[in-house]
Amino acid sequence: MSVDDPAELGRRLRRRDRSAAPAALNLIENRSPGARERAGRLLAHASPTALGGEAPAHLVGVTGPPGVGKSTLLSALLPVWRRQGRSVAVLAVDPSSRRSGGSLLGDRVRIEHDPKDDAVLIRSTAAAGRLGGLAPSTREAVEALAAAFDLVVVETVGVGQSETDVADVCDTVALVVQPASGDVLQFLKAGIMEVPDVLVVTKADLGSPAERARRDLAQALAAIGSSSVPVVLVSSMPPPSGIEELADELDAHRERLDIDDRRPRSRRASALREFTAEHGERALRSLGGRREAERFLAHQDEAADVNTLVAALERRARQ
Ligand SMILES: Nc1nc2c(ncn2[C@@H]2O[C@H](COP(=O)(O)OP(=O)(O)OP(=O)(O)O)[C@@H](O)[C@H]2O)c(=O)[nH]1
Ligand SMILES: [Mg+2]
């Protein structure tokens, strides 16, 4: 049997053999039709159906405007999680605009980690077209890694309405802002922005503006009836501060969640989004509209993975 047999890769991930992860990601990122079919088989072997339940990993989205300090923050969070004995995979989604030259912000900060530590995997992937959008391969990568790692983190650039992709893929979304981010405040107040599960104000070492930002954000959250959302002040530069508190808040959110309810709902939302992105609104109408498509998905197996759900929608649309 070849090492890259997709079913075997899926089985190894299911057995929590992390050494299968790089080959699994290579296959998932290959978008050729042959590779798609093989990736589908890999995912089926690491899916909730194969696992006999939801993957135990905590799926964390770290999102926020460009340059607010998301990667630096993750560099500081990694040692905290490693001290707790947890394995961590990070998928850093590069906005495609920055790949195609004309870098606005210069070289991105890389997430620092010990390359000899095999319980940590960092991977950069290209984003889908729009800001904050996730490519289907990122969603699949999260699904595969969730079988083998304790934490799977997705770093994306985005603010406003673009976080919903991340929310569909992750259990817990942390929105990272820096002091004096007036736009985030306005988005929150106006209710045009998905309310995150945890709000993080970075660069606390800059002093009083950070404290003020925390106060303003807490007030904005209270005004929209979301005062239970924690606002954590962190500094990721040495000496780091607030990092362990943030790790605790992420865990606390995970503990409050009903994963067996949330994950199937998220998979159905992802399937509908990917089906519509692939085939257009007209295909959605051929299913009888969004509501009807949602009803159809609600009747599918709770443990079905997203690709299986998309395939079911496609079969239905052809009928
Ligand atoms: N003073 C201070 N600077 C910080 C802190 N965290 C990050 N920075 C700086 O902010 C800049 C951007 O940090 P990144 O971690 O690359 O920010 P990012 O949000 O990942 O950026 P993109 O991925 O490009 O959107 C870098 O120059 C960091 O050194 C902090 O806590 N304090
Ligand atoms: Mg970054």
Side-chain angles (χ1 to χ4, degrees), residues 27-310:
L27 181 55
I28 285 167
E29 283 168 6
N30 185 338
R31 305 312 283 176
S32 75
R36 301 297 310 122
E37 187 271 325
R38 287 155 53 76
R41 275 194 285 147
L42 182 159
L43 289 166
H45 280 275
S47 72
T49 310
L51 289 167
E54 297 299 334
H58 186 190
L59 313 179
V60 178
V62 172
T63 186
V68 293
K70 301 178 291 296
S71 300
T72 314
L73 175 62
L74 283 168
S75 303
L77 272 167
L78 276 175
V80 173
W81 285 328
R82 293 297 297 122
R83 275 199 294 278
Q84 298 170 341
R86 298 204 265 180
S87 55
V88 190
V90 184
L91 298 165
V93 181
D94 274 318
S96 29
S97 58
R98 238 178 291 179
R99 282 252 164 125
S100 53
S103 165
L104 286 172
L105 299 157
D107 291 334
R108 354 179 58 202
V109 168
R110 294 281 154 202
I111 298 164
E112 276 175 43
H113 74 293
D114 174 2
K116 290 193 295 293
D117 182 355
D118 66 8
V120 174
L121 177 98
I122 313 272
R123 188 87 160 198
S124 277
T125 53
R130 66 212 163 84
L131 195 65
L134 290 190
S137 62
T138 307
R139 189 263 305 154
E140 290 178 351
V142 171
E143 282 180 1
L145 296 170
F149 285 81
D150 297 320
L151 275 145
V152 181
V153 182
V154 185
E155 180 194 332
T156 58
V157 176
V159 75
Q161 292 172 302
S162 52
E163 279 84 28
T164 45
D165 281 18
V166 180
D168 281 347
V169 167
C170 294
D171 305 320
T172 303
V173 176
L175 173 66
V176 183
V177 300
Q178 60 182 15
S181 313
D183 48 351
V184 170
L185 205 61
Q186 295 314 319
F187 284 148
L188 271 177
K189 278 187 182 158
I192 56 169
M193 177 176 153
E194 196 93 348
V195 179
D197 301 308
V198 177
L199 242 161
V200 186
V201 182
T202 50
K203 309 190 184 182
D205 50 305
L206 301 178
S208 63
E211 210 22 83
R212 200 175 321 123
R214 185 206 337 234
R215 244 189 353 257
D216 292 348
L217 288 165
Q219 271 170 16
L221 287 166
I224 57 168
S226 298
S227 49
S228 63
V229 173
V231 184
V232 186
L233 219 58
V234 302
S235 170
S236 315
M237 304 300 250
S241 69
I243 307 293
E244 297 195 2
E245 184 193 347
L246 173 57
D248 289 345
E249 290 292 0
L250 296 172
D251 286 344
H253 177 264
R254 169 69 158 88
E255 271 155 37
R256 289 195 298 273
L257 268 187
D258 179 356
I259 291 290
D260 292 325
D261 174 62
R262 172 157 175 147
R263 293 251 181 98
R265 272 196 292 127
S266 300
R267 285 195 290 273
R268 293 197 288 266
S270 293
L272 198 53
R273 181 162 41 72
E274 288 181 19
F275 172 83
T276 313
E278 174 87 18
H279 302 290
E281 292 287 334
R282 259 182 71 189
L284 195 57
R285 282 198 295 279
S286 77
L287 290 170
R290 183 170 296 274
R291 277 284 172 72
E292 206 43 56
E294 278 166 356
R295 258 196 291 274
F296 171 74
L297 286 173
H299 285 103
Q300 304 299 306
D301 180 4
E302 290 262 292
D305 63 5
V306 177
N307 290 348
T308 304
L309 294 173
V310 172

Side-chain angles (χ1 to χ4, degrees), residues 3-23:
V3 265
D4 283 354
D5 173 41
E8 182 54 18
L9 281 175
R11 276 193 291 270
R12 282 170 62 198
L13 290 173
R14 202 166 79 210
R15 289 196 304 264
R16 303 184 68 74
D17 172 2
R18 293 186 303 265
S19 68

